[in-house]
Amino acid sequence: MDLFTDESAFQKTKTEPLALRMRPQTLDDFVGQQDLIGMGRFLRRVIQSDSVPSLLFFGPPGTGKTTLSNIVAHSTGSYFEEMNAVAAGVADIRKAVEKAKERLLRSNRRTILFIDEIHRFNKSQQDALLPHVENGTITLVGATTENPYFEVNSPLLSRMRVLRLQALTREEIILILKRALTDKQKGLGHIEVSVTEDILGLLSDRAGGDARVALNLLEQMVMMLVDETDGKNPSVELSRELVETVAVEKFQVYDKNGDNHYDVTSAFIKSMRGSDPDAALHYLARMIEGGEDARFIARRIVICAAEDVGNADPAALTLAVAAMQAAEMIGWPEARIPISQAVSYIAAAPKSNAVYLAIDLALADVRDRDCGPVPAHLRDSHYRGARLLGNGFGYKYPHDYPGGFVDQQYLPDALKQEKYYKPTQNGREKDIATRMAERENSIKPK
């Protein structure tokens, strides 16, 4: 520090986290989310016209939800009040609403109530907000990392505009890091930091799309090097080894009970169904690194083997069940091997959902139609008096006929023309389709 250094700024640098100091104050300083804040886009237009409706920012951590809420507050003529749903309750909501009413009556000034982590409010707390959002006493701005369509009451959600934020790209995080390194007032510009683009890229990758994590890691590394010289050396160099020491592994955006959990699981199943083993293994790796239960993963693999491969390759189900049993017996990390074997096999296997469609068609008829009784010749005839009732009379034992097949009616009379199972021409099911066609032709009138 020299005579020209702002001492108050220096002290601020020492007390507030870098991510907080570097928080943008205007839309022009904000990095990312151009679909929302670009020229002519919705959020920029309502801020510029001071006509902000109730909003709900939804997205991963570190993407700018709280920052955008603060920009909204400082870019409009409204009074801004902030609370966190973790610590606030109904009493706090009522107090904020009463103040908003007074403000509206005395100065005709609107109030924006920002609630961070709004998904943590229970139903009664969310209901307490509803009438005041409805009548315009407050403009509600919420932020959540959880899917609002699962976590926020429908009546409240219907009165808010949901704005989805995306994880920041590698290039966007690198830009944010560069700004922090050159900003002498709020960032680390008072320290001479030597760093390559590749190192910043590695740091961005380890942050997993979270700007807050990236800035925190950057600050930790720089201050670690400065402290090692007792603050006497104003010049430090960031190396790959240091990044790998401080950021041991990539920050994983994966919540086993959250929205990302369902998105990754969905992508995993759809990749297997879509015959892309590389993508399926990628999403499997995400679930493993996120600490997902091996049994949860294995059950999805078994379902996919039956639903999407089916009789096109019956071995897929056998392998899936074996992988599930193996995972149950050995657990992580070794379970990744049999599970990945099953995933790659199922993804590469021929596909048919004919069995899945067939059972759903049959179930629909059982639920919705009068199917009638079991044909008499198929009924149980092993108990005393069964023959007197006509049970089993006329039944033809297939093994007594050539090829183990004989033409006779199996479906009830009301359904005897129905065809539920329609094998495809994929994989082993092609053989089944051929065999069924041959049998069908053999019973047609000559």
Side-chain angles (χ1 to χ4, degrees):
M1 187 168 66
D2 55 33
L3 293 174
F4 300 100
T5 302
D6 182 348
E7 186 173 355
S8 64
F10 181 76
Q11 291 301 324
K12 187 176 183 181
T13 299
K14 299 292 286 184
T15 57
E16 288 186 345
L18 179 62
L20 181 60
R21 302 197 306 270
M22 291 302 299
R23 178 169 284 170
Q25 300 300 312
T26 68
L27 288 181
D28 293 333
D29 292 333
F30 192 91
V31 176
Q33 316 305 335
Q34 289 303 301
D35 286 346
L36 298 180
I37 66 167
M39 296 304 297
R41 296 293 184 171
F42 169 76
L43 189 57
R44 181 178 289 270
R45 293 180 69 174
V46 297
I47 289 175
Q48 289 174 340
S49 63
D50 198 3
S51 57
V52 177
S54 289
L55 301 171
L56 183 54
F57 294 113
F58 158 49
T63 52
K65 299 183 295 296
T66 303
T67 298
L68 283 176
S69 301
N70 278 290
I71 290 174
V72 168
H74 295 106
S75 302
T76 69
S78 301
Y79 181 84
F80 186 75
E81 184 158 351
E82 183 176 357
M83 65 175 64
N84 191 299
V86 174
V90 172
D92 299 293
I93 295 171
R94 288 173 179 163
K95 185 177 179 180
V97 167
E98 288 304 315
K99 289 183 178 179
K101 288 179 179 178
E102 290 180 15
R103 206 171 288 118
L104 200 59
L105 286 172
R106 291 182 179 181
S107 59
N108 199 32
R109 191 181 183 193
R110 297 169 60 209
T111 297
I112 293 177
L113 176 61
F114 171 64
I115 302 178
D116 200 10
E117 299 190 77
I118 193 172
H119 62 275
R120 294 185 180 273
F121 268 169
N122 60 34
K123 185 178 185 300
S124 62
Q125 289 169 319
Q126 292 184 29
D127 286 345
L129 292 164
L130 185 60
H132 312 295
V133 175
E134 176 97 57
N135 61 27
T137 301
I138 58 171
T139 298
L140 178 62
V141 177
T144 177
T145 56
E146 304 296 324
N147 191 327
Y149 296 100
F150 295 157
E151 303 294 338
V152 179
N153 293 350
S154 295
L156 182 60
L157 194 62
S158 69
R159 290 159 176 80
M160 305 179 75
R161 175 72 178 264
V162 178
L163 301 179
R164 182 162 193 169
L165 280 67
Q166 305 297 330
L168 298 180
T169 66
R170 192 176 200 258
E171 293 72 22
E172 288 167 345
I173 290 185
I174 289 175
L175 175 58
I176 291 170
L177 295 175
K178 285 181 175 179
R179 286 185 180 180
L181 289 169
T182 55
D183 191 319
K184 294 183 178 180
Q185 183 178 1
K186 298 182 294 182
L188 301 172
H190 59 286
I191 302 170
E192 185 180 336
V193 180
S194 176
V195 60
T196 66
E197 187 91 4
D198 287 343
I199 298 301
L200 290 179
L202 176 61
L203 188 55
S204 171
D205 293 342
R206 294 294 172 94
D210 188 324
R212 187 186 301 108
V213 170
L215 288 168
N216 287 341
L217 289 173
L218 177 66
E219 183 176 33
Q220 289 169 24
M221 289 188 292
V222 171
M223 300 316 297
M224 180 188 299
L225 293 175
V226 170
D227 290 343
E228 286 176 356
T229 63
D230 295 327
K232 297 176 182 177
N233 187 357
S235 176
V236 298
E237 181 177 357
L238 302 186
S239 65
R240 175 175 290 271
E241 291 73 24
L242 182 61
V243 174
E244 292 175 347
T245 299
V246 176
V248 179
E249 58 184 27
K250 178 182 175 182
F251 179 74
Q252 297 293 334
V253 184
Y254 189 86
D255 180 356
K256 289 190 288 183
N257 299 312
D259 190 48
N260 192 258
H261 157 84
Y262 295 106
D263 288 345
V264 173
T265 302
S266 175
F268 172 60
I269 294 169
K270 288 171 181 173
S271 296
M272 283 193 291
R273 179 184 297 144
S275 301
D276 190 331
D278 297 314
L281 289 169
H282 166 75
Y283 293 115
L284 172 63
R286 281 201 190 189
M287 290 191 285
I288 293 173
E289 284 298 300
E292 190 60 81
D293 188 338
R295 292 170 295 182
F296 172 87
I297 299 173
R299 285 195 295 268
R300 269 71 200 162
I301 296 170
V302 170
I303 294 168
C304 187
E307 177 181 343
D308 297 305
V309 177
N311 286 334
D313 186 352
L317 181 57
T318 301
L319 181 60
V321 172
M324 181 172 66
Q325 293 171 339
E328 183 76 30
M329 288 188 290
I330 63 179
W332 298 128
E334 289 81 2
R336 76 190 189 282
I337 303 169
I339 284 180
S340 63
Q341 179 186 357
V343 167
S344 56
Y345 187 95
I346 290 166
K351 301 297 189 296
S352 171
N353 68 344
V355 171
Y356 163 71
L357 295 176
I359 186 58
D360 280 358
L361 287 172
L363 283 169
D365 274 351
V366 169
R367 290 167 182 154
D368 301 332
R369 295 177 61 178
D370 179 4
C371 299
V374 173
H377 63 284
L378 299 182
R379 296 176 195 170
D380 182 18
S381 60
H382 291 88
Y383 61 90
R384 188 177 61 181
R387 288 285 180 175
L388 296 176
L389 295 174
N391 289 4
F393 183 77
Y395 172 65
K396 299 173 185 177
Y397 186 54
H399 295 291
D400 289 340
Y401 296 85
F405 170 75
V406 62
D407 177 31
Q408 64 183 328
Q409 180 181 329
Y410 290 98
L411 279 169
D413 289 342
L415 303 174
K416 63 183 180 180
Q417 301 302 321
E418 294 296 333
K419 297 290 183 185
Y420 298 123
Y421 180 45
K422 301 170 184 176
T424 68
Q425 294 296 306
N426 302 334
R428 294 281 299 277
E429 204 164 42
K430 182 177 181 180
D431 297 334
I432 297 173
T434 299
R435 188 161 56 250
M436 290 179 63
E438 289 172 351
R439 290 176 179 174
E440 187 76 20
N441 290 332
S442 72
I443 63 176
K444 287 182 178 179
K446 303 295 185 184

